[in-house]
Amino acid sequence: MENLQTNLQKLDHYLESVRKSGVSNYINGESRQAISGEQFETISPVDLKPLARVARGDARDIDLAAKAAKAAQPEWAAMSGVQRQKILHRVADGIVAHAEEIAFLECIDTGQALRFMSKAAIRGAENFRYFADKAPSARNGLSLPTTGQANITTRYPVGPVGVITPWNTPFMLSTWKIAPALAAGCTVIHKPAEFSPVTASLLVRIAADAGLPPGVWNVVNGFGEDAGAALTQHPDVKAIAFVGESRTGSMIMKQAADSLKRFHFELGGKNPVIVFKDADLERAADAALFMIYSLNGERCTSSSRLLVEAEIYDSFMATLAERVKAIRVGHPLDPETVIGPLVHPVHEKKVLEYIEIGKADGARIAAGGKKHAGPGGGCYVEPTLFTHASNTMRVAREEIFGPVLTAIPFSSEDEAVSIANDTPYGLAAYLWTSDVTRAFRVSEKIEAGMIWVNSENVRHLDTPFGGVKASGIGRDGGDWSFDFYMETKNVSFATTTHHIPRLG
Ligand code: NAD
């Protein structure tokens, strides 16, 4: 990786067109301004200066996009899976070709560090390749024979889908939701997050250049309460794939109730990492630190609650505190930076307020605990470690979504399980122990959609991704994605002349 100076020069080049033309909507194969002509500004969290003017779509733009998606749906659905596979692989090729541009724009729009974002485009491309290769078998079903009856199931795309994404890692998350929808044969209307909209419009143009027909993938920028809400209410939109906060998920369900849509929700988390004294403590420390302080802690699967067995608690915390103090906060395009500025002053304020709440509730600050004076003077917050916390404190119960770790001691396996489950959320959990029987026993009892034993979050795209309780509804990954983006139809053939009751 180059140094910061070189990276800033490259950024200037990549920003040129974003500054000049702004971020537009993309509907039916055309870049367009909002029908109202209104725009909003996206700022860089590095220096709070404007990055670009963004089309501020509303219900009228959503309607236009939904009509385009509806019109494009039959042809896209009828295209052979092999043909869709080819197009989606070409989208992946386009992403790889633009990998550096995507990474740089993502860093400057979100504040995420380049060391992590340089892989975002590659992961996005992998998502496209994975689902591209599943497209030819997407319609496959089952044969379910019984006496006198042959049942054959088949699947078909549900129709135009609305995809609503959050601001934390917008590029990767958009590909994670949109690639399976397209592979299944659905057309898409995407509403990116207003805090970090820049890479979504680049992504859809890459897809168009790869040969995606007009109307198949549309992007409408705007705010949640107008463009987002209109998308969830539109009668032509058959399903909503949403990634964001739990309370927004609940709002969306209410908003959309009249149009009887199906929902896929990937929501918030307050994920426990449980460290037993028999664990490989060095690896456990590495993983716990990585899962809360990478991606600025703005990560749904972050290990935000650290539960440590009491006998090793003090020594484990001492090691951790030293390591946290050594984590480098800086400009997102500096290759040495681990933590960049948080996405927006509104979010920075929320995270700093939680740090004050933690202190007031009696948790001890072992590292960090305040704003950091970083380059550009933007939304930098020190990586923060709270020790001696209890699970009743707000910093242990509520999702902070920043580089703040709350560590709680436990004295028995039962207590660890009970603390881990004492939360409204249930996305991920991490378990560190060398006792395999305990690993099975505890993972049985933990209420979470995903559990990693002796590992940080390492994704395998075949596996189901999603949460329980307030962390979500539904699963992505493997065939689970198609379960959401496709309807299943059963056709039953009589194989005998069975008795039919005669009435009248
Ligand atoms: P958010 O809920 O505020 O916004 C997400 C998206 O929803 C944005 O595009 C926003 O404009 C839109 N929106 C807001 N109100 C809406 C409404 N009434 N109708 C329709 N759309 C609306 O979330 P955020 O602050 O952008 O993202 C952070 C949250 O996302 C965290 O809670 C995090 O845990 C969660 N997240 C979850 C996962 C996961 O896989 N479970 C992944 C990443 C982020």
Side-chain angles (χ1 to χ4, degrees):
M1 257 191 274
E2 320 266 355
N3 62 28
L4 176 59
Q5 226 34 53
T6 324
N7 286 345
L8 288 173
Q9 281 162 11
K10 284 187 183 173
L11 175 69
D12 253 353
H13 165 70
Y14 291 135
L15 271 178
E16 223 174 86
S17 79
V18 178
R19 286 203 174 110
K20 202 162 69 200
S21 342
V23 175
S24 41
N25 293 338
Y26 192 85
I27 301 176
N28 208 17
E30 279 176 37
S31 291
R32 350 174 12 129
Q33 284 310 313
I35 293 171
S36 67
E38 281 194 41
Q39 293 183 315
F40 65 96
E41 229 163 40
T42 181
I43 57 164
S44 164
V46 171
D47 53 12
L48 313 187
K49 290 194 181 132
L51 268 185
R53 307 229 16 113
V54 185
R56 183 176 172 173
D58 60 23
R60 284 170 291 172
D61 305 276
I62 290 289
D63 186 49
L64 199 63
K67 289 201 167 100
K70 188 180 178 186
Q73 177 65 47
E75 207 174 314
W76 182 244
M79 186 183 277
S80 79
V82 172
Q83 190 56 25
R84 278 204 301 274
Q85 177 185 31
K86 285 187 188 142
I87 296 178
L88 297 184
H89 269 294
R90 286 205 298 270
V91 176
D93 295 341
I95 292 174
V96 172
H98 287 81
E100 188 179 78
E101 179 179 5
I102 292 163
F104 277 51
L105 293 177
E106 191 86 326
C107 287
I108 206 66
D109 202 15
T110 63
Q112 299 281 7
L114 184 61
R115 71 159 65 203
F116 304 116
M117 284 309 100
S118 60
K119 296 178 198 107
I122 304 305
R123 275 198 61 189
E126 278 167 11
N127 290 339
F128 267 92
R129 294 203 196 286
Y130 177 83
F131 287 107
D133 288 339
K134 290 184 85 68
S137 58
R139 294 205 53 197
N140 286 4
L142 299 171
S143 161
L144 302 165
T146 182
T147 311
Q149 208 182 48
N151 288 286
I152 296 171
T153 74
T154 181
R155 296 192 292 196
Y156 59 95
V158 69
V161 298
V163 174
I164 303 178
T165 47
W167 47 256
N168 56 329
T169 52
F171 185 85
M172 205 289 292
L173 280 172
S174 303
T175 62
W176 178 233
K177 307 304 287 184
I178 294 170
L182 296 176
C186 294
T187 57
V188 169
I189 303 118
H190 178 204
K191 209 299 278 171
E194 49 270 48
F195 279 176
S196 56
V198 172
T199 52
S201 77
L202 176 57
L203 177 59
V204 74
R205 279 182 282 119
I206 290 173
D209 291 345
L212 204 73
V216 170
W217 179 348
N218 308 277
V219 176
V220 178
N221 288 287
F223 291 95
E225 58 272 24
D226 40 59
L231 181 56
T232 63
Q233 289 161 339
H234 201 286
D236 291 336
V237 176
K238 300 301 171 198
I240 294 289
F242 169 75
V243 186
E245 284 192 32
S246 303
R247 65 166 180 269
T248 315
S250 138
M251 208 158 29
I252 287 176
M253 218 175 215
K254 286 180 205 135
Q255 281 165 199
D258 284 347
S259 59
L260 284 178
K261 289 183 190 359
R262 60 167 72 176
F263 302 106
H264 191 301
F265 285 165
E266 291 184 8
L267 309 174
K270 194 73 191 179
N271 312 296
V273 47
I274 308 175
V275 181
F276 288 97
K277 66 179 183 212
D278 63 9
D280 180 333
L281 296 179
E282 207 174 319
R283 286 177 62 75
D286 286 345
L289 291 170
F290 178 77
M291 283 311 301
I292 186 67
Y293 299 116
S294 62
L295 303 183
N296 291 350
E298 295 163 335
R299 176 179 200 147
C300 56
T301 51
S302 74
S303 55
S304 48
R305 281 188 303 153
L306 175 60
L307 316 186
V308 181
E309 194 155 3
E311 278 169 61
I312 56 159
Y313 185 84
D314 286 340
S315 64
F316 197 74
M317 284 307 127
T319 314
L320 239 49
E322 284 318 302
R323 302 259 314 260
V324 177
K325 287 175 194 159
I327 289 176
R328 175 100 171 239
V329 184
H331 194 290
L333 291 177
D334 184 337
E336 301 297 316
T337 292
V338 173
I339 297 186
L342 303 187
V343 70
H344 193 275
V346 169
H347 185 57
E348 181 199 25
K349 182 165 174 275
K350 170 183 154 182
V351 172
L352 289 171
E353 274 171 11
Y354 268 112
I355 293 177
E356 292 313 311
I357 290 168
K359 287 187 207 164
D361 283 351
R364 284 187 220 159
I365 295 265
K370 54 185 191 309
K371 190 172 164 60
H372 173 88
C379 309
Y380 299 92
V381 173
E382 288 178 350
T384 297
L385 173 62
F386 275 118
T387 60
H388 299 86
S390 84
N391 205 49
T392 54
M393 293 177 183
R394 285 183 64 192
V395 288
R397 305 201 72 77
E398 296 170 23
E399 188 185 41
I400 302 174
F401 217 56
V404 181
L405 178 57
T406 302
I408 304 166
F410 69 83
S411 2
S412 67
E413 185 181 304
D414 282 348
E415 194 192 3
V417 170
S418 132
I419 297 174
N421 288 342
D422 179 19
T423 169
Y425 295 107
L427 187 59
Y430 304 90
L431 180 56
W432 285 87
T433 175
S434 297
D435 178 342
V436 70
T437 313
R438 185 200 328 251
F440 272 100
R441 193 170 54 232
V442 173
S443 53
E444 270 294 304
K445 292 179 188 161
I446 297 288
E447 296 162 2
M450 297 169 287
I451 300 175
W452 277 273
V453 179
N454 296 333
S455 173
E456 79 284 29
N457 167 352
V458 178
R459 286 283 294 130
H460 172 43
L461 299 181
D462 276 338
T463 60
F465 184 100
V468 301
K469 293 155 80 176
S471 289
I473 299 175
R475 294 291 177 272
D476 269 319
D479 206 52
W480 285 277
S481 295
F482 288 160
D483 268 348
F484 177 69
Y485 293 113
M486 302 187 87
E487 292 281 12
T488 298
K489 180 190 278 184
N490 184 61
V491 184
S492 181
F493 297 87
T495 55
T496 57
T497 47
H498 62 282
H499 169 72
I500 303 174
R502 303 191 79 188
L503 306 180

